[in-house]
Amino acid sequence: MVKRPALYLLLLFSLVKAATCFSQSLPVGTPFLEETARRLQISGATSSNTSFSIRPLYAYLPEDIDSLYNPQNWLAGTDKPTRLKYAKGKGYLVFLPATIKQQYNSHHPYGWNDGPMIQAKGYQAQASVGVYTKIGPLSIQLQPEFVYAQNASFEEFPDWQNDTLWKHYYYILNRIDNPERFGNGSYTRVFAGQSSVRFNYKKLSLGVSTENLWWGPGIRNSLLLSNTAPGFPHITFNTLAPLTTSIGSFEWQIISGWTKGSGIPPPDTGRTFDGARLYDPKQADSKRYMNGMVATWQPKWTKNLYLGVSRMFYVYSSDMEKSFDGYLPIFGALFKGKAKGEDEKRRDQLLSVFARLVLPKEKAEFYAEFGRNDHSQNFTDLMLEPEHARAYILGGRKIFTTAKKTDVELMFELTQLENSPTAWLRPQEGWYTHYQVRHGYTHRGQVIGAGIGPGSNSQTLGISWIKGIKKLGFTLERVVRNNDFYYEAFAPIQNPRFHWVDLSLNAYKDWYCKRFIYSANLSLVRSLNYQWRYQHNAAGKEVHTNVNQLHASLSVSYVF
């Protein structure tokens, strides 16, 4: 059984004499600090050799804590972050930053990469505070999160659309648990948040956690794991810092976890098509077992180049086999032809490969991620149609230093989740949806991967001005919503002018004052053909429904 080796490892970690190491983490999406750490690496201001493709970031040495929570000694003039020692100096305790995040959507839900916050209209707030303690090999981080959302009503997919369009819409709804609105009335939840209990030995860590995870080099999106949904409970075995070998340095993480459903049914469940009910209820037990791994390699011959691979399986807990392959399918065959009875196991896999190149002298980075959400049958199938069931992310940024010693940063990122043309010839599930695991790749109703959602694409361009570690910038972003649905539903119309596209102009600023950290964002969004609201007026003229949206957010953190 798999459980016994895990128990033996746990006992081993608790008995060995631990080296001086830490495992305090900087949670995924921490305003200001996480982005600063990455930018300092790009500009050559730090000697960090982490890939920034496996997050959260961890403090391995005592000085790493200051580099994460006090970059470039920005707390100068005040005391450093407070640490309380106990057990004759063998243990210590740190109070984690207290943070309040707020956001507001004026017309309809918008935004992603916001952890336990939900897609909602109106006002929303998230509060968190916590402590971290370590003694010997044991470390405990408790950082719960509280969320309140006004969750006001808004215009959803129009009930006046014909039954044919609703049929295609329900084809998606029956394959994912991703509600447009999280019930009626306000939404209030308390989550375990960025909490963990770990046993650490040198650069290795074994433990249980509910932290958000981010795999891959992307900034706006990640194919397999992001912080769009709340963190899910998982067992983790990971590195705390790159392991150096004769061929380069390695980082990895292996997890086994469990995700839950939202419990919220889709809209208009009584609608029918040709007398048949469109709504197909999902199974009552929404719990899904997740098993995934990610690994990066920095070859010793090509410094600052990081190559990586990630793989994730998910299956209903009730369908999971009690075997090695059931618990750890990530170690199974890569090709479906060599995986016996894979289709009968009622599970789905996602796989990606990625690369990130950092050029400190040029103050630049470039990255790419390519993923598949289905096995190839064999090597020949992979070579004939590598684009089948694919998605990808491309991005980069470059920092220029002006004569006034102010840095100007240019960035871009594009994400493509829309199905490839191979769907015309062979069955293809969209990213994050599935016909057997019908809650999809979600946790508590939100996508675990790229926040733009199934069948969507995005393009982002940005410019910012950096003074020290303070930042002011603007981005232009285009998001086309669920083209997989659009091409199926609107194909008979043969009209290319009814995609739902969000165009946004975003202004943001990150700054600090003494022990306070501030991060603000203001977005003006123009939604073209919102909710695919295609129709004709009484005169037979096409009518486009375009709406304006104001999205604003403000985060304030206090470093103890």
Side-chain angles (χ1 to χ4, degrees):
M1 296 292 289
V2 174
K3 292 183 179 179
R4 287 188 177 180
L7 178 61
Y8 297 153
L9 278 172
L10 192 64
L11 292 173
L12 175 64
F13 269 69
S14 64
L15 292 174
V16 296
K17 182 179 180 180
T20 303
C21 64
F22 296 76
S23 63
Q24 183 178 347
S25 68
L26 184 66
V28 174
T30 299
F32 184 83
L33 296 177
E34 191 181 40
E35 162 63 17
T36 297
R38 181 165 176 165
R39 189 173 67 250
L40 291 177
Q41 182 196 49
I42 296 169
S43 62
T46 66
S47 58
S48 172
N49 67 335
T50 183
S51 68
F52 282 88
S53 296
I54 306 176
R55 292 185 275 152
L57 305 175
Y58 296 97
Y60 169 61
L61 297 173
E63 55 266 27
D64 291 341
I65 297 177
D66 289 337
S67 69
L68 290 178
Y69 284 92
N70 187 21
Q72 291 194 325
N73 199 29
W74 67 274
L75 282 178
T78 66
D79 295 331
K80 288 187 175 181
T82 304
R83 300 177 196 167
L84 304 177
K85 294 185 178 181
Y86 60 91
K88 297 181 179 180
K90 295 181 180 180
Y92 78 93
L93 181 144
V94 175
F95 291 96
L96 302 177
T99 301
I100 296 178
K101 300 178 182 179
Q102 302 172 88
Q103 66 174 241
Y104 174 78
N105 286 313
S106 64
H107 185 269
H108 61 270
Y110 187 82
W112 59 94
N113 296 340
D114 50 14
M117 286 184 166
I118 62 172
Q119 296 281 295
K121 176 187 173 182
Y123 175 78
Q124 186 169 188
Q126 173 195 335
S128 68
V129 68
V131 295
Y132 171 85
T133 185
K134 177 186 180 299
I135 183 167
L138 174 66
S139 67
I140 300 174
Q141 181 167 300
L142 300 176
Q143 195 170 10
E145 296 168 328
F146 168 81
V147 174
Y148 164 80
Q150 181 183 354
N151 197 30
S153 62
F154 59 93
E155 296 180 55
E156 300 180 51
F157 190 76
D159 56 7
W160 47 257
Q161 288 284 23
N162 62 60
D163 289 344
T164 300
L165 288 180
W166 271 92
K167 180 189 72 170
H168 292 293
Y169 191 53
Y170 253 101
Y171 181 86
I172 303 295
L173 297 181
N174 284 330
R175 284 165 165 74
I176 192 170
D177 174 31
N178 188 205
E180 286 191 80
R181 187 181 179 202
F182 283 70
N184 298 317
S186 61
Y187 175 96
T188 304
R189 292 289 188 279
V190 177
F191 297 96
Q194 312 308 310
S195 302
S196 65
V197 178
R198 296 173 174 274
F199 287 91
N200 311 294
Y201 176 70
K202 295 185 178 181
K203 295 183 179 181
L204 302 180
S205 180
L206 175 69
V208 294
S209 171
T210 57
E211 295 172 288
N212 277 109
L213 306 175
W214 186 293
W215 291 356
I219 297 173
R220 289 291 289 154
N221 287 294
S222 178
L223 296 183
L224 264 65
L225 284 176
S226 75
N227 63 322
T228 293
F232 57 86
H234 57 274
I235 301 169
T236 176
F237 177 49
N238 60 275
T239 55
L240 299 174
L243 294 176
T244 304
T245 71
S246 59
I247 61 171
S249 61
F250 293 86
E251 300 169 279
W252 76 74
Q253 183 171 36
I254 298 173
I255 68 164
S256 290
W258 297 266
T259 59
K260 293 184 177 180
S262 68
I264 301 172
D268 205 351
T269 56
R271 187 172 287 265
T272 61
F273 180 80
D274 284 346
R277 192 180 183 188
L278 294 178
Y279 173 47
D280 184 7
K282 299 176 176 64
Q283 65 182 59
D285 183 7
S286 66
K287 190 175 182 181
R288 282 143 288 155
Y289 175 73
M290 316 281 292
N291 178 228
M293 60 80 63
V294 61
T296 67
W297 172 40
Q298 182 183 194
K300 64 176 294 185
W301 310 277
T302 52
K303 191 176 181 180
N304 299 318
L305 172 66
Y306 304 90
L307 305 175
V309 60
S310 59
R311 193 182 194 189
M312 181 73 76
F313 281 82
Y314 64 103
V315 61
Y316 282 121
S317 296
S318 56
D319 291 330
M320 187 182 70
E321 294 182 357
K322 305 303 187 290
S323 64
F324 181 86
D325 180 65
Y327 286 107
L328 296 170
I330 55 172
F331 297 113
L334 288 177
F335 296 120
K336 187 174 292 187
K338 294 185 178 180
K340 296 181 179 179
E342 183 63 30
D343 288 335
E344 289 71 37
K345 294 177 181 178
R346 297 179 54 81
R347 64 190 184 190
D348 191 25
Q349 83 144 345
L350 300 91
L351 182 144
S352 82
V353 293
F354 54 86
R356 177 174 178 252
L357 176 63
V358 179
L359 305 170
K361 290 184 179 180
E362 291 75 19
K363 295 185 177 180
E365 71 166 331
F366 300 95
Y367 56 86
E369 183 175 16
F370 179 87
R372 293 278 303 262
N373 73 346
D374 192 15
H375 296 66
S376 293
Q377 190 66 26
N378 49 44
F379 182 76
T380 300
D381 181 29
L382 177 62
M383 291 298 100
L384 289 175
E385 291 189 334
E387 74 277 17
H388 177 65
R390 61 91 184 97
Y392 60 85
I393 296 173
L394 296 173
R397 58 178 153 181
K398 164 75 172 148
I399 300 174
F400 302 88
T401 301
T402 66
K404 296 182 179 180
K405 294 187 178 180
T406 297
D407 289 337
V408 178
E409 178 186 279
L410 301 178
M411 65 83 64
F412 78 94
E413 182 174 292
L414 63 90
T415 302
Q416 190 85 2
L417 300 182
E418 175 187 330
N419 276 341
S420 68
T422 61
W424 300 343
L425 301 176
R426 57 194 290 190
Q428 180 173 325
E429 286 292 325
W431 273 75
Y432 314 133
T433 67
H434 201 253
Y435 70 102
Q436 291 178 313
V437 190
R438 295 200 301 113
H439 281 79
Y441 193 64
T442 64
H443 177 50
R444 295 189 179 274
Q446 299 193 74
V447 170
I448 301 173
I452 57 176
S456 301
N457 309 318
S458 68
Q459 303 85 38
T460 308
L461 293 173
I463 182 171
S464 58
W465 291 264
I466 304 166
K467 191 71 172 180
I469 59 176
K470 300 177 182 179
K471 189 174 184 179
L472 169 68
F474 299 89
T475 61
L476 288 172
E477 189 163 60
R478 173 184 179 270
V479 180
V480 55
R481 300 290 181 180
N482 206 338
N483 265 352
D484 293 346
F485 160 74
Y486 177 83
Y487 287 120
E488 286 292 332
F490 290 86
I493 299 173
Q494 296 183 349
N495 190 325
R497 298 193 298 277
F498 292 99
H499 296 269
W500 175 7
V501 175
D502 292 330
L503 302 175
S504 64
L505 171 62
N506 316 285
Y508 59 90
K509 185 176 181 179
D510 299 325
W511 75 103
Y512 61 87
C513 181
K514 295 184 177 180
R515 289 181 173 270
F516 286 94
I517 301 173
Y518 302 91
S519 184
N521 178 84
L522 181 65
S523 302
L524 302 177
V525 185
R526 178 70 167 171
S527 294
L528 308 178
N529 300 318
Y530 171 68
Q531 292 281 3
W532 305 281
R533 287 178 174 259
Y534 159 78
Q535 59 181 321
H536 290 88
N537 62 17
K541 184 179 179 180
E542 294 175 346
V543 177
H544 299 260
T545 302
N546 303 329
V547 301
N548 296 320
Q549 160 99 301
L550 175 67
H551 171 80
S553 64
L554 174 65
S555 171
V556 181
S557 299
Y558 179 80
V559 179
F560 291 96

